[in-house]
Amino acid sequence: MSDHLVSVAVPVPMPQAFCYRAPRDCLPGHRVKVGFGRRTLVGVVVEVVKKPPPGVSTIKPVKAVLGDAPLLTDSAMDLLNWCARYYHHPVGEVYAAALPASLRQGQVLPEPERAWRLLDDAPSPAANASRQHVLLDALRAAGGMATADALPAIAGRAAVLRSLLERGMVERCEAAATPPVATTPAPTLNAEQHAAAQAIGQAVAAGDFAAFLLDGVTGSGKTEVYCAALQSLVAAGQQALVLAPEIGLIPQLITRLRQRFAARVETLHSGQTNAERARVWADARRGDISILVGTRSAVFTPLPKLALIVVDESHDTAYKQGDGFRYNARDVALRRGQLMGVPVVLGSATPSLESLHNAQQGRYTHLRLRQRAGAAQLPKIDLLDTTNLQLFDGLSEPIISAIEQVLKQGAQALVFINRRGYAPTVLCSSCDWVASCGRCSAHMTLHRQRRELRCHHCGRTARAPAQCPDCGSDDLGAAGAGTQRVEAQLRKRFPGIGMARIDRDSTRRSGALEAALADAASGKAQLLVGTQMLAKGHDFAGLALVAVADGDQGLFGADFRAPEHMAQTILQVAGRAGRGARAGRVVIQTSHPEHPLLQRLASGDYGRFASAALDERREAAFPPYGFQALLRAESVDAQAAPAFLKRAHDAARAIAAAGIEVWAPNPAPMERKAGRWRWQLQIEAKQRGPLHALLGELLPQLYADPQARRVRWSVDIDPQSMI
Ligand code: ADP
Ligand code: ZN
Ligand code: ZN
């Protein structure tokens, strides 16, 4: 067969796709093996081209075409091409991010998982064929059908199954055909839930893009609204994508959806093996999965019968990828909805200011749930002035007695402190020495069990010194408190009370998070201490008190988004209280009880907080009233990064249109990290279009900069954090 020219997205940090020769049956969406420099890489064909790009003389043939049919559909590629343009990110890396690792490496697309089904009129095996009996009994116990892996692992299992097949006792079928059973009926929705579900349901039926902001206080039954909206599309054999910001929230979502729907509900997240991920991805692409629940990168999963996208906890900053291809899965979900004509629901108790603004502008339909579902009430929020109070490992006496009261009543209490480790700072009281990381501009955190200092930014560890390394004094102290320190104080005060600490350290071991959450849910752990891992989405019916140990964190941050994130975190953690029959209370320790932000939070009214915050943003022309891009650069040599950004700055200034502000390069708030010097250049614009046009002209100059090799640089569109 004759050849044609194709342009291939190759996973390298270069912006363009590369031209190769390929057989004519090699089409857009096909994976191909190509020679690139001295390496062989797996790329994806983006398009068929008429002629090679100017200046390219020798065109290499692809080394192999993988798979018979293209792996990616046109609509999946439309989304990826949009991402590469919008985020100004190398197209090959965008494609690579959208594929599970094994497919990215060129392995074959997994076949549908096969199962074994018991035949109704099956003859009985001979009485002495005990291994056959074991498998048949297990199949019967599983409701007549199971995958081989789910059957007892007896010796020679595969051979025994084959002989059952030959004797006409079982048949093979696709595992996806297993009809799951719904066990929990839907509750009767209240009026607001009903109206919301109706609006979304109509959009699903219309099969057009529409965006909804489902703005419902914690515990208002947003998940029930999703379920109601999913009902008809699942019955019609369509597919839905449900995104959650982090792995920890997936088990409960999956459980609820599986209880509700007699349909295949599967998940994709980074905690799975490569093989599992590839299998789920392949099943989703084949249309065999009804509801796919996943974290950030699941937004790219091909779903041919997609009819609804739900972004749960849509305000969460975890939707934004923090390095490399810095996409925001919430925004990609919206774009996917637009491209595919599918409605998108953004759910949150504390919507991002951007989303609220979009709702105010009429771009999203604003659906509100103002009341908690069932009999539960929203908790009362009190500010506790700690200015004149002594703190015992971060906790004041009034907080400790409030906890004591709750424990006496047999209820649960939760202490929230968004800092792990024992103490964030170790210092010498005789001189000025502070334990800091030599490779980052940051203090080392004390971790108590092993008397270890750890840098939370680069992972460096060191033994905690017994004497000051500078002056030799024994007067070393730990300042501030983290989860371990609060836990130690609580254990001292409340010996014998079941306790669970939930942070990244305590949950590193696989299964540890599930075990701790189970203890919290069952009430076995009456006292809970944790970071934001504990703040989101969880439902502890016995929880009567939430104590926020540090209400000042985030009040005076340099980042203009800090107040928004603080308000969201505090209201989310507050929302854990009083979800059952018990009334809930929230106490926030602060040394600034008069601060207007805290005052507004104490009223519990996020809407009030948000409209004040939006006013401030408008005045400063910050997003959503302006648009930002951040050019980041880092280098081992202290001069290279600022020099690179200085050249970028001059180039940008030369092409910037009116209404675009190009700021001078600045050191990043954390100027050094893991031994590299970090700088950034901020570009702001009143309109999105001119900002993207500027970047479109600027970036080719930066790629061509001969000194660019000395720095690592990247573009961050709609940056969420300056760190
Ligand atoms: P959210 O997602 O808004 O936090 P959930 O959907 O988890 O809220 O609902 C909170 C609790 O209220 C859950 O236990 C849920 O089963 C219950 N619930 C939700 N809607 C109703 C309803 N209409 N009637 C009774 N209980 C409900
Ligand atoms: Zn000292
Ligand atoms: Zn460090």
Side-chain angles (χ1 to χ4, degrees):
M1 189 184 292
S2 68
D3 283 359
H4 60 178
L5 296 180
V6 293
S7 148
V8 178
V10 184
V12 291
M14 284 187 245
Q16 70 275 35
F18 294 87
C19 193
Y20 288 88
R21 220 152 16 82
R24 278 195 180 268
D25 57 359
C26 171
L27 297 169
H30 259 122
R31 281 179 302 161
V32 286
K33 274 197 178 151
V34 296
F36 194 88
R38 259 175 264 151
R39 295 179 296 165
T40 298
L41 297 172
V42 176
V44 178
V45 175
V46 181
E47 57 179 347
V48 175
V49 291
K50 290 252 154 41
K51 52 179 197 284
V56 176
S57 49
T58 50
I59 309 252
K60 290 193 265 186
V62 302
K63 292 188 169 172
V65 181
L66 305 178
D68 296 335
L71 185 70
L72 294 179
T73 58
D74 287 350
S75 79
M77 292 200 295
D78 285 347
L79 184 67
L80 298 177
N81 295 336
W82 175 81
C83 282
R85 285 195 307 273
Y86 182 82
Y87 290 105
H88 296 270
H89 195 78
V91 66
E93 291 188 348
V94 170
Y95 273 69
L99 294 178
S102 70
L103 296 176
R104 193 157 67 219
Q105 289 151 12
Q107 290 175 26
V108 295
L109 189 68
E111 287 292 314
E113 198 180 3
R114 307 284 277 179
W116 298 88
R117 179 155 49 205
L118 199 59
L119 287 171
D120 290 340
D121 45 1
S124 258
N128 61 357
S130 61
R131 289 190 300 170
Q132 297 186 7
H133 279 288
V134 169
L135 293 182
L136 290 173
D137 288 348
L139 269 176
R140 218 167 278 127
M145 182 163 147
T147 60
D149 286 346
L151 292 171
I154 55 166
R157 183 173 64 189
V160 179
L161 281 167
R162 261 198 311 281
S163 67
L164 288 174
L165 183 69
E166 281 158 17
R167 277 157 220 231
M169 296 173 188
V170 299
E171 65 175 1
R172 304 216 62 177
C173 60
E174 278 187 20
T178 326
V181 228
T183 53
T184 318
T188 310
L189 300 184
N190 64 34
E192 286 184 325
Q193 283 176 309
H194 183 73
Q198 194 98 32
I200 301 165
Q202 275 166 9
V204 172
D208 256 336
F209 170 69
F212 296 93
L213 177 61
L214 180 60
D215 175 2
V217 296
T218 50
S220 58
K222 294 184 288 297
T223 313
E224 290 303 336
V225 172
Y226 307 150
C227 288
L230 289 166
Q231 200 82 52
S232 64
L233 75 89
V234 167
Q238 293 175 301
Q239 294 179 293
L241 173 65
V242 177
L243 297 177
E246 57 179 74
I247 294 188
L249 295 175
I250 286 190
Q252 56 180 30
L253 258 176
I254 288 277
T255 307
R256 266 175 91 174
L257 293 167
R258 284 191 178 147
Q259 284 169 346
R260 186 59 53 75
F261 294 106
R264 219 173 136 200
V265 180
E266 297 279 357
T267 176
L268 267 184
H269 58 72
S270 60
Q272 294 167 308
T273 63
N274 285 348
E276 270 176 307
R277 286 168 67 91
R279 186 182 58 75
V280 174
W281 195 91
D283 288 355
R285 176 183 172 278
R286 223 178 281 113
D288 287 347
I289 290 173
S290 294
I291 305 177
L292 181 69
V293 182
T295 45
R296 196 166 53 216
S297 66
V299 73
F300 298 112
T301 317
L303 296 155
K305 295 181 279 182
L306 184 64
L308 177 68
I309 305 178
V310 172
V311 184
D312 195 20
E313 310 287 357
S314 61
H315 62 279
D316 201 302
T317 50
Y319 280 119
K320 174 94 172 166
Q321 170 81 31
D323 53 14
F325 170 28
R326 295 171 186 259
Y327 65 99
N328 187 327
R330 176 200 63 194
D331 298 338
V332 174
L334 283 159
R335 173 54 59 165
R336 184 169 184 182
Q338 277 177 338
L339 288 171
M340 292 185 70
V342 164
V344 181
V345 179
L346 307 182
S348 179
T350 51
S352 75
L353 297 181
E354 277 91 347
S355 298
L356 281 172
H357 178 67
N358 279 323
Q360 284 167 6
Q361 299 288 305
R363 281 191 281 270
Y364 303 166
T365 304
H366 200 166
L367 304 170
R368 283 201 183 83
L369 309 178
R370 295 176 178 86
Q371 311 266 297
R372 278 199 161 171
Q377 292 297 309
L378 278 171
K380 184 173 171 310
I381 304 180
D382 293 319
L383 301 177
L384 175 66
D385 186 354
T386 51
T387 329
N388 298 312
L389 294 177
Q390 192 186 347
L391 294 185
F392 302 92
D393 297 326
L395 298 176
S396 65
E397 214 48 77
I399 284 267
I400 292 171
S401 47
I403 294 172
E404 187 173 11
Q405 270 181 19
V406 163
L407 296 178
K408 270 196 193 136
Q409 294 159 5
Q412 286 173 303
L414 183 161
V415 179
F416 171 74
I417 176 148
N418 211 6
R419 200 183 272 137
R420 63 197 171 90
Y422 184 82
T425 308
V426 172
L427 40 78
C428 168
S429 26
S430 307
C431 73
D432 284 341
W433 181 82
V434 177
S436 36
C437 174
R439 311 177 61 218
C440 306
S441 16
H443 292 172
M444 301 278 274
T445 299
L446 179 63
H447 282 249
R448 253 266 281 244
Q449 304 92 326
R450 282 185 257 153
R451 287 209 53 77
E452 190 176 65
L453 293 172
R454 274 189 225 162
C455 174
H456 285 182
H457 304 283
C458 72
R460 193 171 86 87
T461 60
R463 275 201 71 72
Q467 282 106 27
C468 173
D470 270 10
C471 73
S473 153
D474 295 332
D475 254 350
L476 292 184
T483 45
Q484 294 177 0
R485 188 167 194 174
V486 169
E487 179 192 20
Q489 175 65 217
L490 291 172
R491 286 207 188 277
K492 203 153 60 186
R493 297 277 182 146
F494 305 109
I497 293 281
M499 232 173 113
R501 192 186 94 222
I502 297 187
D503 57 33
R504 253 203 293 145
D505 300 308
S506 72
T507 58
R508 217 169 288 263
R509 203 163 32 80
S510 133
L513 175 62
E514 289 77 5
L517 287 174
D519 284 354
S522 70
K524 187 174 158 207
Q526 224 185 326
L527 252 175
L528 314 175
V529 180
T531 56
Q532 48 81 31
M533 282 183 87
L534 202 49
K536 301 173 188 173
H538 302 291
D539 206 345
F540 310 123
L543 189 64
L545 174 73
V546 167
V548 177
D550 187 359
D552 298 341
Q553 214 179 11
L555 274 187
F556 305 103
D559 186 344
F560 72 90
R561 291 185 206 270
E564 176 187 358
H565 295 156
M566 171 184 175
Q568 287 163 340
T569 308
I570 289 189
L571 289 179
Q572 288 288 333
V573 69
R576 300 313 109 213
R579 290 171 77 93
R582 251 178 247 278
R585 184 179 170 217
V586 179
V587 183
I588 302 176
Q589 292 194 134
T590 173
S591 44
H592 302 278
E594 73 301 332
H595 196 289
L597 169 56
L598 286 175
Q599 292 282 336
R600 282 186 212 114
L601 280 182
S603 75
D605 185 347
Y606 181 75
R608 234 183 96 206
F609 157 78
S611 58
L614 275 170
D615 287 344
E616 286 170 18
R617 295 268 183 102
R618 186 185 298 114
E619 272 176 22
F622 281 145
Y625 301 97
F627 301 91
Q628 297 183 330
L630 200 62
L631 261 176
R632 304 168 193 268
E634 55 179 57
S635 55
V636 177
D637 152 19
Q639 300 312 317
F644 174 79
L645 287 185
K646 176 78 175 65
R647 291 192 298 279
H649 171 260
D650 295 344
R653 280 300 261 277
I655 47 181
I660 297 190
E661 190 97 56
V662 182
W663 296 96
N666 257 310
M670 177 169 292
E671 188 175 358
R672 256 186 112 221
K673 188 170 168 184
R676 291 170 175 275
W677 297 91
R678 307 163 77 233
W679 284 69
Q680 52 198 28
L681 167 66
Q682 191 168 325
I683 308 177
E684 290 178 350
K686 292 202 176 70
Q687 308 288 329
R688 210 185 267 293
L691 177 62
H692 283 259
L694 168 78
L695 291 169
E697 255 188 89
L698 175 64
L699 298 186
Q701 298 186 36
L702 300 186
Y703 279 109
D705 183 333
Q707 297 292 317
R709 230 166 305 162
R710 302 180 55 210
V711 303
R712 272 193 204 155
W713 67 275
S714 64
V715 192
D716 190 351
I717 303 293
D718 309 327
Q720 290 295 308
S721 143
M722 303 289 165
I723 307 283

